[in-house]
Amino acid sequence: MKFSQATDYALHAMLYLVSEAPDKPVSVQLLAEKLGVSQTYLSKMLTKLVKAGLIQSVSGVNGGYRLRRNREDISFLDIIHAIEGTASLFECSFNHGSECLIQQVVIEAERQMEQYLQNKKISELAGQFKGIG
Amino acid sequence: MKFSQATDYALHAMLYLVSEAPDKPVSVQLLAEKLGVSQTYLSKMLTKLVKAGLIQSVSGVNGGYRLRRNREDISFLDIIHAIEGTASLFECSFNHGSECLIQQVVIEAERQMEQYLQNKKISELAGQFKGIG
DNA sequence: GCGTGATTACTCGGATACAAGATGTCCGAGTTTGAGCGG
DNA sequence: CCGCTCAAACTCGGACATCTTGTATCCGAGTAATCACGC
């Protein structure tokens, strides 16, 4: 039970895009260099963000990745869900009827966390962004 | 990013102890039979619960595991922390100064979830407990 | 009946095995821009 | 100067390798209650 490092990468990459390049596409190479991670692995995360509709890819020379939606609309939860998936964090493996009381409690707790992450927009941090390193 | 099945086992085992056997020790064998899981694996979880101080082991014949604390005091968070560990769910892997804004947001979200789980006691479900299967 | 030892029913911990997921690399294919070159 | 071709700079996707973690089993050691047995 831990957030993956991939989520960490994705959040920082999105913060960079929102802060430094609102409309110009940024290449994986540059982004990976700024974050200090490998291009190929980072590109996998960006692909997921594309599939989630958060950013779009621009192919060809001078291409790269660019924000798709309005910067104010992108929440932490959007990014986390794009990488980690939207499946519930808890699934009861016993088959007691249809509903497990324990599962209901844990899922409600999860909902508390997601609600907070939903209301928190990545753009709120953009002003204080001073670069990655 | 998912709760482990071990946590699922531990929560159900604790619910059983709180509901059905407030003071008599229950053997791993019986508990595993009730839950329908392997004894040896379940015993690993129970060991963790012992180390967390939630239950105590009674060795020898007619031994087993028994609640240690007051049943009303045991929260979901206690059990989850005993199995999953108390480490933060998110750790920024970049070294920008000392504090990462992204990390602060995620950790605050995590705190929201934990607060809910802390206030939710396992004994609240005991009344509606109808057995596992 | 009573003490002593053996048996039994438990927990405890380490070693091991296996599968799945996270992390990371490599490479070939497709796409767009732009430069070079011939007419 | 125009149009064609080709190279370069990108993304995209699959295949692969590796490492960690979760899941699970097995076994030997320790402990306490109880049973058996001899006195």
Side-chain angles (χ1 to χ4, degrees):
Chain A
M1 176 68 172
K2 244 178 144 349
F3 284 100
S4 70
Q5 203 164 357
T7 299
D8 190 25
Y9 289 179
L11 285 170
H12 281 82
M14 287 298 288
L15 179 55
Y16 181 87
L17 288 179
V18 168
S19 302
E20 305 275 311
D23 46 348
K24 289 291 170 193
V26 177
S27 72
V28 176
Q29 180 178 352
L30 177 62
L31 208 46
E33 190 182 326
K34 292 284 184 187
L35 297 180
V37 303
S38 89
Q39 300 179 26
T40 48
Y41 189 53
L42 180 61
S43 79
K44 297 245 181 278
M45 305 310 128
L46 294 171
T47 298
K48 286 188 177 181
L49 293 174
V50 169
K51 283 181 178 163
L54 298 181
I55 59 180
Q56 61 184 353
S57 71
V58 180
S59 53
V61 179
N62 296 327
Y65 292 93
R66 179 172 43 185
L67 290 180
R68 183 180 191 88
R69 294 205 259 156
N70 202 334
R71 22 192 322 267
E72 279 76 21
D73 292 343
I74 300 174
S75 72
F76 275 70
L77 186 63
D78 292 330
I79 301 169
I80 292 173
H81 270 176
I83 304 297
E84 304 270 349
T86 59
S88 171
L89 301 186
F90 187 86
E91 200 174 344
C92 175
S93 58
F94 304 97
N95 49 349
H96 20 175
S98 54
E99 315 248 319
C100 175
L101 297 172
I102 290 174
Q103 175 163 331
Q104 288 176 27
V105 169
V106 179
I107 286 184
E108 174 60 25
E110 178 190 346
R111 214 184 58 74
Q112 299 281 323
M113 179 172 66
E114 293 191 341
Q115 184 176 349
Y116 182 88
L117 291 170
Q118 177 103 60
N119 292 332
K120 207 76 178 178
K121 308 300 180 186
I122 191 84
S123 58
E124 295 178 34
L125 302 189
Q128 307 160 57
F129 181 69
K130 303 279 187 232
I132 299 292
Chain B
M1 176 68 172
K2 244 176 136 9
F3 284 100
S4 70
Q5 203 164 358
T7 299
D8 190 25
Y9 289 0
L11 285 170
H12 281 82
M14 287 298 289
L15 179 55
Y16 180 87
L17 288 179
V18 168
S19 303
E20 306 275 310
D23 47 348
K24 288 291 171 192
V26 178
S27 72
V28 175
Q29 179 178 352
L30 177 61
L31 208 45
E33 190 182 326
K34 292 284 183 187
L35 298 180
V37 302
S38 89
Q39 300 179 26
T40 49
Y41 189 52
L42 180 61
S43 80
K44 297 252 181 274
M45 305 309 126
L46 294 171
T47 298
K48 286 188 178 181
L49 293 173
V50 169
K51 283 180 178 164
L54 299 180
I55 59 180
Q56 60 184 353
S57 70
V58 180
S59 54
V61 179
N62 297 326
Y65 292 92
R66 179 173 43 185
L67 291 180
R68 183 178 192 88
R69 294 205 260 157
N70 202 335
R71 25 193 318 269
E72 280 75 20
D73 292 344
I74 300 173
S75 71
F76 275 70
L77 186 62
D78 293 330
I79 301 169
I80 292 173
H81 270 176
I83 304 297
E84 305 269 349
T86 59
S88 172
L89 301 186
F90 187 87
E91 200 174 344
C92 175
S93 57
F94 304 97
N95 49 349
H96 19 177
S98 54
E99 313 249 319
C100 175
L101 297 172
I102 289 174
Q103 175 163 330
Q104 288 175 27
V105 169
V106 179
I107 286 185
E108 174 60 25
E110 178 190 345
R111 215 185 57 74
Q112 299 281 322
M113 179 172 68
E114 292 191 342
Q115 184 175 349
Y116 182 88
L117 291 171
Q118 177 102 60
N119 292 332
K120 206 76 178 178
K121 308 299 179 187
I122 191 82
S123 59
E124 296 178 34
L125 303 189
Q128 307 160 55
F129 180 70
K130 304 281 188 227
I132 300 293

